[in-house]
Amino acid sequence: MPDLLIELFSEEIPARMQARAAADLQKLVTDGVVEAGLTYSGARSFATPRRLALTVHGLTAESPTTREERKGPRVDAPDKAIAGFCKSVGVAREDLEMRDDKKGQVFFAVMTREGRPAAQIVADVLESAIRNFPWPKSMRWGAGDLRWVRPLHGILCILTDEAGAEVVPLDVAGITSGDRTQGHRFMAPDAFSVVSFEDYEAKLKRAHVVLDAEERAEQIWHDATNAAFAQGLDVVEDRGLLTEVAGLVEWPVVLMGQIDEAFRDLPAEVLKTSMKEHQKFFSVRNAAEDGQITHFVTVANRATADDGATILAGNQKVLSARLSDAKFFWENDQRVARAGMAAWLESLENVTFHAKLGSQAERITRIAALAKELAPLVGADAAEAEQAAKFAKADLASEMVYEFPELQGVMGRYYVGMTSVPTSVAAAAEEHYAPLGPSDAVPTAPVSVAVALADKIDMLTGFWAIDEKPTGSKDPFALRRAALGVIRLVLENGLRISLNSRPGPFHFSAEAVGVQQRGDQSAGYADPNDLLSFLHDRLKVYLRDRGIPHDVIDACLAMPNADDLTLLVKRAEALAAFLKTDDGENLIQGFKRANNILTQAETADGVEYSFGPDAKLAETDEERALFAALDREGAAISSAIEAEDFASAMRGMASLRQPIDAFFEAVQVNADSQIVRRNRLNLLHLIRATCLRVADLTRLGG
Amino acid sequence: MPAPTRPDSFQEIILRLQTYWAAKGCAILQPYDMEVGAGTFHPGTTLRSLGNRAWAAAYVQPSRRPTDGRYGENPNRLQHYYQYQVLIKPSPPNLQELYLGSLEAIGVDMNLHDIRFVEDDWESPTLGAWGLGWEVWCDGMEVSQFTYFQQVGGHDCKPVSGELTYGLERLAMYVLGVDHVMDMPFNSPSAPIPLSYGDVFRQTEQEYSRFNFDTADTDKLLQHFKDAEAECLSILSVPAQDPKTGKTIIMAHPAYDQCIKASHLFNLLDARGVISVTERQAYIGRVRALAKACADAFVQTEAGGAAA
């Protein structure tokens, strides 16, 4: 059972593509050899900046010879049919066999697939894998036509068994396979040959290449935390950065340096972002100094005779230049912030939010007005909410946010906090962007909630007005995220807002956008009903993830006040829970029985029996008992619904099943007397109407 | 290889790069005699990267970025600076090694420094061009752009050119250990008349910063932009057959000069802050249309690979 080793050696592969590429190589090759009839016992793949590697062990030495027979047409069938058969099985007519069959002489095609040695199969599979590799972006180089992520220089491909290693011969666009590779670009550039995966991995390590990205990452983290610990510091964890850095080096060497005192006043977020984005440094905190970031860790790709002193000095210099910029921005920004930010608010008048939706300043004005409207509904002070919205996006014009867009909001909180406003107003500058994703925390401070809702509703009505709704996978303005934001803000804060009432948030916002759009013929008003149904669609997805079935949501959406999302969800949760109980079954069965007969009669008669039944016309005890039960439960159900106690209401409805069943046992609805019949149908109608008061049960499936 | 000695001035770094690339077989071209935003605009790169003819050239290109002007006060931002540009077609298989050799030639000791190739895809919307490559880091500082051209002026590059761009001031400041560009020795500090970068350029940085930001006449610039655009298209619309010589002469280069002009005028207008966000895209599109038309014309010429 031979083992296979492949290495594709190239110029530097972007860090973000490496892990995926290693997995793709493994899949393409292992799928390919299995498809060709080989089996294997295991495989592992690896990536470094300059190589993708794959080891497949326990590969069968050759594929088995297979034989397959296919029965064809009779020998006296028309030529056309026989030719068609030959074509479909890929066998020449003279090679068909004639055999006796029940129906007479019939052609048979015998197809034999000769077994092939593993080397041939691997060569074919690897060439096809290289030529069809799913790089997110690939390129040509030199005068060739081959595509790879960056120029491909070498193919190492060997099969190793007890007898030794053999090169799998292969030539892809002039690159011939061999058993040689090379080590670290600077520390061990010489080529060497390998005889097995174990040999390959060991020799690479001697040549200053750690093959396994996970091992590189662990080593970086281990060395970084050790270096920090030795000085009583700790490294700020950043998994994404660790993975990226491990993809930038073959021989990681951790170096820790100090941040110049002159930059210690910068906010921690600025230090962290600048070091990470520009230099891929880890931040290092000093617990003794209030957790301030005082050091950094950089990862070099080599060891040097001076133990990295030159490299560290160079990195420190670049960092100082970067942080001088940041400090310059921070100082300039503070001046504007302390002066009340008027300059920023004014400059946002020249920043387009969207060509058809005006400037950022216009958008801020709309959000401020809407936040003020929303304030009483979320328990916020109206003046504070309006003020918070006015300042919430001022930092977009700051120099720091221009340089580091990802610090929007974070800087806002600092800058707004420098003016004489309540802390709730400063907090809203940061929190109003939230929630950004399904797992992002939702703000709870009332002022932040008001601005966050206003921000998102304005987005939605704005893009609805100019007909830029999300379609399929396209959602360039992240409107689904905005809608989910509205949903989570409302639900997680238990807010009671009729979004689509008139006047209400949707109409108010649509009007504000519309007024601004008046000059533009191509734009219209957002349709609040359409927007609500978009929100409802997102809500369905949100609730389905929480185990509430689709039909339950539909049954609740059909009820009035479905724009009050908290009420809607309360109803849906109660219904979903109730349906899982015996009483739930009783409710459904009782309702169905009454509803089926009533619907049939209504269809047949072409009328609706909604007059209200008269208990005096009841003829039997069972009928009277049902009247009594309805009378008794009806009142209880009404007060339960009034109190939004949907579970009690449904229990009341469920208790009707017994009298309903008894009624149907004893009573013929279609009585001879039309008066009695009509009264009984009106009675069923009352049952139906009672049961429909919590949810539209007709929409429940199964 | 002997340990590289350290250069002592800005100009020595340039001279060493010239010597190095000449030794590697490049034609050492001179700067293009027009205002450009980057070395890529030199026809020795833009046009010569098109078509199937082999090419190898290296040159210094003064580059102008009006928005980067800081009146000579910022330690490393300038509205006028130098790029060193190398373009080899087809890209040789050892281009990375050649590049690293050039760093050694200017005194970067590979045994002490950490050189890294970090993903950076290059795109020039104004030239309708893109390529894949890296920014090259030396101890965490970006010292060069390294790009394999895939498309220029909307044409696939076949064969592919390898392009190297060195930001000369930044690289030289690093090699020479200088913190402020204006303090960098331009010629040798031991020369009879030693000159710093500031001696040569501080005043011009001030003058151009003021001009670019506040004085340039925007109405005139807008008119010049329109003129250059019209001139470019008009040159290209002239029939290829020259009635005077009887030869086929497609005037790709004169047309491309107008494209370069339009591009620089756009940069000036941008620095004057008279181009709104929405207009920006439209202007870039207009320059790109010119670049594309010039590329279309160039590939019809002999140098562009058309059969003679």
Side-chain angles (χ1 to χ4, degrees):
Chain A
M1 296 288 242
D3 294 336
L4 169 65
L5 172 64
I6 293 170
E7 183 203 64
L8 301 173
F9 185 82
S10 67
E11 296 178 15
E12 278 74 359
I13 307 166
R16 66 190 170 92
M17 299 178 188
Q18 290 168 15
R20 181 62 199 271
D24 284 340
L25 177 64
Q26 176 167 338
K27 182 163 171 39
L28 287 171
V29 172
T30 53
D31 283 1
V33 297
V34 167
E35 168 84 2
L38 300 179
T39 64
Y40 66 98
S41 57
R44 279 181 77 198
S45 56
F46 305 89
T48 78
R50 293 211 291 167
R51 56 198 98 217
L52 297 180
L54 170 68
T55 168
V56 181
H57 43 272
L59 197 63
T60 36
E62 57 193 26
S63 61
T65 299
T66 57
R67 194 166 176 280
E68 194 191 332
E69 286 188 6
R70 192 87 55 83
K71 186 173 146 187
R74 285 164 56 110
V75 293
D76 53 0
D79 275 354
K80 215 168 165 189
I82 296 168
F85 174 66
C86 288
K87 200 172 163 210
S88 75
V89 294
V91 174
R93 181 163 184 165
E94 56 270 28
D95 295 332
L96 295 176
E97 291 178 16
M98 283 180 280
R99 292 190 200 162
D100 286 326
D101 193 74
K102 276 169 267 169
K103 295 176 206 152
Q105 280 235 306
V106 169
F107 278 122
F108 267 81
V110 179
M111 292 160 291
T112 314
R113 198 160 74 155
E114 290 294 335
R116 297 169 70 209
Q120 272 185 26
I121 291 172
V122 166
D124 286 354
V125 167
L126 182 54
E127 169 156 8
S128 143
I130 292 172
R131 290 193 184 278
N132 302 299
F133 206 82
W135 291 110
K137 247 184 189 177
S138 64
M139 53 163 273
R140 294 172 289 106
W141 62 95
D145 276 319
L146 187 63
R147 302 187 76 90
W148 200 246
V149 63
R150 293 292 183 276
L152 178 66
H153 286 294
I155 301 171
L156 181 156
C157 187
I158 57 171
L159 281 165
T160 309
D161 59 15
E162 299 77 18
E166 227 174 291
V167 171
V168 174
L170 173 70
D171 181 326
V172 183
I175 307 166
T176 53
S177 58
D179 61 356
R180 292 167 78 74
T181 184
Q182 41 192 301
H184 190 275
R185 184 191 281 283
F186 300 105
M187 299 181 77
D190 292 340
F192 54 86
S193 58
V194 301
V195 296
S196 68
F197 173 70
E198 292 69 28
D199 186 41
Y200 170 72
E201 197 178 22
K203 279 181 178 157
L204 274 183
K205 197 156 268 179
R206 281 206 291 282
H208 300 283
V209 175
V210 179
L211 181 62
D212 186 355
E214 197 52 45
E215 189 184 333
R216 293 195 301 273
E218 274 167 25
Q219 191 186 321
I220 291 167
W221 189 246
H222 173 264
D223 293 356
T225 45
N226 267 6
F229 182 76
Q231 298 194 31
L233 309 169
D234 65 310
V235 187
V236 178
E237 208 172 323
D238 188 336
R239 194 71 222 175
L241 180 61
L242 183 59
T243 307
E244 186 183 2
V245 170
L248 288 171
V249 294
E250 292 200 312
W251 191 251
V253 174
V254 163
L255 301 169
M256 190 168 78
Q258 206 166 353
I259 297 168
D260 196 304
E261 294 276 355
F263 307 118
R264 299 276 177 84
D265 297 342
L266 284 167
E269 295 92 338
V270 172
L271 287 172
K272 235 186 289 183
T273 307
S274 174
M275 294 202 291
K276 175 183 174 168
E277 295 305 316
H278 289 142
Q279 314 231 212
K280 313 205 190 297
F281 287 176
F282 291 91
S283 296
V284 179
R285 271 188 304 237
N286 188 345
E289 290 183 42
D290 249 3
Q292 213 186 17
I293 295 170
T294 54
H295 290 67
F296 64 89
V297 160
T298 180
V299 182
N301 186 31
R302 63 161 307 152
T304 60
D306 65 352
D307 286 328
T310 308
I311 297 174
L312 187 60
N315 274 287
Q316 216 140 10
K317 198 165 172 175
V318 183
L319 177 65
S320 289
R322 291 285 191 188
L323 293 183
S324 312
D325 276 352
K327 196 176 178 200
F328 180 71
F329 302 146
W330 173 238
E331 283 163 0
N332 287 350
D333 283 351
Q334 287 187 65
R335 267 194 295 279
V336 183
R338 290 185 204 286
M341 293 179 282
W344 289 339
L345 294 176
E346 197 185 309
S347 76
L348 288 177
E349 285 168 15
N350 299 319
V351 177
T352 308
F353 167 64
H354 183 283
K356 291 184 181 170
L357 293 172
S359 67
Q360 282 287 6
E362 287 170 301
R363 178 162 136 80
I364 289 168
T365 305
R366 295 195 303 262
I367 294 174
L370 181 54
K372 187 179 169 193
E373 284 292 309
L374 285 162
L377 303 172
V378 305
D381 179 82
E384 274 184 30
E386 187 183 18
Q387 187 183 32
K390 252 188 197 150
F391 288 135
K393 292 183 189 291
D395 66 342
L396 292 180
S398 71
E399 295 184 30
M400 191 70 86
V401 173
Y402 181 82
E403 184 70 11
F404 300 111
E406 62 269 51
L407 289 181
Q408 68 175 18
V410 172
M411 297 320 296
R413 186 180 202 142
Y414 282 107
Y415 296 147
V416 178
M418 288 169 188
T419 62
S420 54
V421 297
T423 49
S424 60
V425 172
E430 178 170 11
E431 295 178 348
H432 83 280
Y433 289 105
L436 287 171
S439 52
D440 195 20
V442 168
T444 53
V447 172
S448 298
V449 172
V451 183
L453 272 176
D455 183 26
K456 291 165 184 66
I457 292 173
D458 180 75
M459 279 278 278
L460 291 166
T461 52
F463 286 101
W464 247 249
I466 61 170
D467 202 20
E468 288 277 5
K469 306 171 200 175
T471 51
S473 61
K474 287 205 188 79
D475 184 11
F477 304 108
L479 299 177
R480 291 193 179 103
R481 191 172 78 185
L484 181 62
V486 172
I487 290 168
R488 291 188 58 208
L489 279 159
V490 168
L491 295 183
E492 293 180 32
N493 286 300
L495 302 177
R496 301 302 301 266
I497 304 177
S498 293
L499 292 169
N500 199 23
S501 62
R502 196 186 280 267
F506 281 6
H507 286 271
F508 184 90
S509 176
E511 176 67 20
V513 169
V515 164
Q516 195 190 309
Q517 286 308 304
R518 224 157 257 170
D520 184 344
Q521 301 296 322
S522 66
Y525 281 78
D527 174 358
N529 295 326
D530 189 45
L531 185 54
L532 183 63
S533 70
F534 177 70
L535 221 62
H536 281 154
D537 283 344
R538 303 323 300 165
L539 182 64
K540 279 187 203 173
V541 176
Y542 174 82
L543 290 179
R544 209 163 42 203
D545 291 345
R546 274 153 196 76
I548 298 185
H550 216 285
D551 56 345
V552 167
I553 304 167
D554 282 339
C556 297
L557 280 175
M559 302 305 289
N561 300 330
D563 63 337
D564 176 346
L565 304 182
T566 300
L567 177 67
L568 175 62
V569 170
K570 205 169 170 184
R571 197 188 287 275
E573 280 172 345
L575 179 57
F578 194 71
L579 287 177
K580 289 183 188 145
T581 64
D582 289 344
D583 270 351
E585 186 61 21
N586 287 335
L587 167 60
I588 297 300
Q589 293 312 326
F591 168 75
K592 271 193 179 160
R593 206 160 176 185
N595 185 48
N596 287 345
I597 291 174
L598 176 62
T599 310
Q600 278 166 21
E602 281 182 337
T603 315
D605 304 348
V607 291
E608 191 179 296
Y609 290 98
S610 53
F611 274 116
D614 187 345
K616 289 197 293 293
L617 293 171
E619 289 184 335
T620 66
D621 285 348
E622 288 79 3
E623 217 172 345
R624 275 186 285 273
L626 185 51
F627 268 107
L630 269 172
D631 207 34
R632 186 178 62 244
E633 295 302 331
I637 290 169
S638 289
S639 56
I641 287 176
E642 193 72 22
E644 294 179 8
D645 180 357
F646 299 115
S648 294
M650 286 187 285
R651 267 195 302 279
M653 295 170 194
S655 72
L656 293 175
R657 182 181 181 181
Q658 194 275 326
I660 290 170
D661 283 351
F663 169 82
F664 281 120
E665 291 296 311
V667 174
Q668 192 73 29
V669 174
N670 288 320
D672 291 337
S673 152
Q674 280 305 310
I675 296 171
V676 173
R677 177 174 179 267
R678 207 175 303 132
N679 194 52
R680 286 178 179 162
L681 289 168
N682 280 331
L683 176 61
L684 293 185
H685 187 273
L686 181 60
I687 294 171
R688 177 167 76 183
T690 304
C691 290
L692 288 177
R693 292 179 63 187
V694 165
D696 184 354
L697 302 179
T698 60
R699 290 175 193 255
L700 293 177
Chain B
M1 192 181 282
T5 54
R6 286 169 64 90
D8 68 353
S9 65
F10 184 54
Q11 71 188 26
E12 190 183 342
I13 288 173
I14 296 175
L15 292 170
R16 286 197 193 188
L17 285 173
Q18 299 278 49
T19 309
Y20 177 84
W21 286 107
K24 297 299 173 191
C26 285
I28 303 299
L29 302 184
Q30 299 304 319
Y32 201 56
D33 58 344
M34 292 186 66
E35 299 143 311
V36 296
T40 307
F41 276 87
H42 193 306
T45 289
T46 311
L47 296 182
R48 295 293 175 153
S49 63
L50 294 163
N52 57 11
R53 293 199 150 200
W55 179 256
Y59 54 88
V60 176
Q61 180 62 51
S63 305
R64 302 201 189 205
R65 299 215 171 144
T67 45
D68 279 352
R70 294 292 183 274
Y71 301 84
E73 281 162 22
N74 188 288
N76 47 29
R77 267 189 208 264
L78 301 160
Q79 57 81 38
H80 171 281
Y81 65 107
Y82 290 107
Q83 284 192 343
Y84 196 83
Q85 174 90 0
V86 179
L87 189 86
I88 306 181
K89 178 174 72 170
S91 63
N94 63 339
L95 189 56
Q96 280 187 312
E97 283 68 35
L98 288 173
Y99 167 74
L100 293 170
S102 74
L103 292 187
E104 295 213 52
I106 57 171
V108 177
D109 181 354
M110 294 293 151
N111 291 316
L112 286 179
H113 293 277
D114 181 30
I115 309 289
R116 227 83 76 65
F117 292 86
V118 181
E119 176 191 14
D120 188 32
D121 300 340
W122 172 79
E123 190 180 6
S124 167
T126 38
L127 287 176
W130 68 275
L132 298 190
W134 311 272
E135 47 184 48
V136 185
W137 286 16
C138 176
D139 302 337
M141 187 176 74
E142 185 194 342
V143 289
S144 303
Q145 278 288 141
F146 192 130
T147 308
Y148 291 102
F149 278 7
Q150 302 294 300
Q151 228 178 45
V152 171
H155 291 258
D156 279 345
C157 297
K158 279 187 155 188
V160 167
S161 299
E163 184 208 45
L164 307 174
T165 303
Y166 307 69
L168 281 172
E169 282 82 355
R170 191 154 26 154
L171 178 60
M173 282 167 68
Y174 190 70
V175 171
L176 300 172
V178 176
D179 291 330
H180 198 296
V181 63
M182 293 298 167
D183 298 335
M184 179 162 63
F186 201 104
N187 62 358
S188 172
S190 54
I193 304 173
L195 294 169
S196 71
Y197 195 92
D199 292 332
V200 182
F201 284 122
R202 183 177 281 113
Q203 183 177 324
T204 54
E205 281 299 308
Q206 285 174 1
E207 293 178 7
Y208 279 104
S209 293
R210 182 175 180 196
F211 169 74
N212 294 335
F213 288 129
D214 304 323
T215 315
D217 181 334
T218 57
D219 290 341
K220 279 210 186 83
L221 291 174
L222 279 167
Q223 190 54 49
H224 290 336
F225 181 92
K226 283 183 203 149
D227 290 347
E229 183 182 39
E231 180 73 355
C232 176
L233 296 173
S234 132
I235 294 169
L236 292 174
S237 68
V238 174
Q241 193 70 24
D242 174 25
K244 203 163 85 193
T245 61
K247 291 181 179 163
T248 299
I249 304 178
I250 297 170
M251 294 171 285
H253 285 81
Y256 181 62
D257 285 350
Q258 299 302 319
C259 169
I260 293 178
K261 253 183 207 160
S263 173
H264 179 64
L265 287 161
F266 162 71
N267 289 341
L268 283 171
L269 285 163
D270 200 22
R272 288 288 276 115
V274 293
I275 291 179
S276 74
V277 184
T278 28
E279 285 173 322
R280 232 184 115 77
Q281 285 315 310
Y283 273 97
I284 289 172
R286 283 162 77 179
V287 179
R288 180 169 56 238
L290 299 182
K292 199 175 163 333
C294 294
D296 292 347
F298 180 74
V299 297
Q300 306 295 317
T301 69
E302 201 186 330

